[in-house]
Amino acid sequence: MMPTSPHGRTELLRPDGSPVRVLVVDDESALADLLSMALRYEGWEVRTAGDGAEAIRITRELRPDAVLLDIMLPDMDGLAVLGRLRRELPDVPVLFLTARDAVEDRIAGLTAGGDDYVTKPFSLEEVVARLRGLLRRSGAAAARSESVLAVGDLILDEDSHEVSRGGQEIHLTATEFELLRYLMRNPRRVLSKAQILDRVWSYDFGGQANVVELYISYLRRKIDAGRSPMIHTRRGAGYLIKPGE
């Protein structure tokens, strides 16, 4: 099943499986709080800024996947802020919030590099829908497909055969991939050597237990090296995978 957000829509996630990050820039704190609440309801990580300088500082820290940017800010024009944001993150999608409904203002915003705009007053549903569209089109986030397995920060794509942990790509041999896929399809469940041999190597248990131990050690070197361990041994029982501590 595809993961869904609390209201039932398919959940958007970053390529590494972590929550989408959005920066809301608006000097109206009540509106910023309302927008933040709506976006957190999507399961996204949200930060707010009340002026342009704070927006630039948070962009450097957060590296957001999308920005909601009010055109009218107390310290600098929204278009100037956009220029600074683009220097930090050239491809980040920007959705303008504007109280101005004049066609020339919209054109100015889009010409300056904004990706879309909504005019105040607007519905929260519209803002969320516009952001979801921008995130999908930019490739910053996508709906997790059923072919993607995730355990903690470890992601395995059964279609592309790509594996990553914490956003870092991990190269596996075909056998290592099959072993990891079997473990990840059964998170926190102890799998015996006999089960693993039958599923990964497709032959009956009998004097071949050492091949399982060998490939578990190969996986550990690639998956757990320098990180909190995810692959665990239960003596006399087998192996399991669970999120790192």
Side-chain angles (χ1 to χ4, degrees):
M1 294 292 291
M2 282 193 189
T4 57
S5 51
H7 42 63
R9 273 208 292 267
T10 303
E11 186 178 6
L12 286 184
L13 298 164
R14 306 177 83 227
D16 65 1
S18 62
V20 167
R21 300 171 184 167
V22 180
L23 172 60
V24 176
V25 187
D26 198 304
D27 60 329
E28 296 180 56
S29 58
L31 179 58
D33 290 345
L34 198 61
L35 286 164
S36 297
M37 182 180 66
L39 301 181
R40 288 192 180 102
Y41 191 58
E42 292 289 310
W44 301 346
E45 180 183 343
V46 185
R47 295 275 297 276
T48 61
D51 57 44
E54 188 180 14
I56 293 157
R57 179 181 60 77
I58 292 175
T59 295
R60 289 174 180 148
E61 292 173 9
L62 182 66
R63 313 300 290 179
D65 301 301
V67 179
L68 275 177
L69 178 60
D70 190 7
I71 290 273
M72 301 290 288
L73 294 170
D75 59 341
M76 63 178 89
D77 183 84
L79 300 182
V81 176
L82 174 65
R84 299 280 294 277
L85 295 182
R86 286 277 188 240
R87 285 201 286 277
E88 294 290 331
L89 295 173
D91 301 318
V92 66
V94 174
L95 176 64
F96 276 122
L97 305 175
T98 175
R100 296 186 251 180
D101 200 20
V103 173
E104 57 268 23
D105 288 328
R106 297 180 183 182
I107 292 171
L110 296 176
T111 303
D115 299 281
D116 202 353
Y117 62 87
V118 288
T119 305
K120 299 176 184 178
F122 46 73
S123 72
L124 293 175
E125 291 81 4
E126 180 186 10
V127 171
V128 170
R130 296 283 187 93
L131 270 180
R132 287 175 70 89
L134 287 177
L135 286 162
R136 283 178 182 276
R137 290 197 295 275
S138 72
R144 168 143 327 140
S145 72
E146 293 182 34
S147 69
V148 176
L149 304 176
V151 177
D153 62 351
L154 181 64
I155 309 293
L156 179 148
D157 190 318
E158 295 182 292
D159 289 339
S160 67
H161 277 226
E162 293 175 331
V163 177
S164 65
R165 183 167 180 194
Q168 292 187 324
E169 190 175 359
I170 296 169
H171 298 283
L172 301 179
T173 66
T175 303
E176 290 166 351
F177 182 86
E178 289 304 321
L179 174 56
L180 182 62
R181 169 155 60 181
Y182 185 40
L183 290 169
M184 291 181 70
R185 281 180 171 174
N186 297 275
R188 300 181 184 275
R189 179 182 165 201
V190 177
L191 301 171
S192 70
K193 290 177 182 177
Q195 287 174 307
I196 293 171
L197 276 170
D198 181 60
R199 180 60 63 91
V200 179
W201 280 270
S202 302
Y203 52 73
D204 293 332
F205 182 74
Q208 299 295 330
N210 60 326
V211 76
V212 177
E213 294 172 12
L214 185 63
Y215 273 85
I216 287 287
S217 72
Y218 291 161
L219 270 188
R220 280 187 169 132
R221 283 180 213 161
K222 294 183 177 183
I223 302 298
D224 291 343
R227 307 176 176 103
S228 69
M230 295 183 69
I231 300 171
H232 301 269
T233 303
R234 293 291 180 264
R235 296 203 178 279
Y239 304 94
L240 78 152
I241 194 166
K242 63 180 182 177
E245 298 297 329

